[in-house]
Amino acid sequence: YQDIVNGYAQHGYRLIAVASRLLDISYAKAQKVKREAIEHNLTLLGLVVMENRVKKQTVPVITQLNK
């Protein structure tokens, strides 16, 4: 998994992991629970891979900022 994520990232892609877990509480209660209490024991559903190409004008701007 980590090798795949790193491979995409090194080629300029951005990834978002999508996961789920069944909660036996109401939506209102879920809004009040701390994030750490909810985001564990998740089932990974997949990754969304988005291409993040560098625009032609970006390289000169970064060069100028690094001076």
Side-chain angles (χ1 to χ4, degrees), residues 3-45:
D3 290 339
I4 293 170
V5 170
N6 287 339
Y8 277 115
Q10 288 176 359
H11 288 93
Y13 292 94
R14 299 295 173 247
L15 287 91
I16 298 175
V18 180
S20 71
R21 175 177 158 214
L22 184 60
L23 297 175
D24 195 23
I25 59 175
S26 69
Y27 178 77
K29 285 185 181 181
Q31 295 298 309
K32 297 176 183 176
V33 176
K34 290 190 176 194
R35 186 175 180 172
E36 295 81 19
I38 298 289
E39 293 183 356
H40 65 87
N41 295 329
L42 299 170
T43 301
L44 180 65
L45 300 176

Side-chain angles (χ1 to χ4, degrees), residues 52-67:
N52 190 19
R53 290 189 177 181
V54 176
K55 295 179 183 173
K56 196 161 66 172
Q57 66 269 26
T58 301
V59 175
V61 170
I62 291 173
T63 303
Q64 185 70 22
L65 291 171
N66 286 327
K67 288 183 180 180

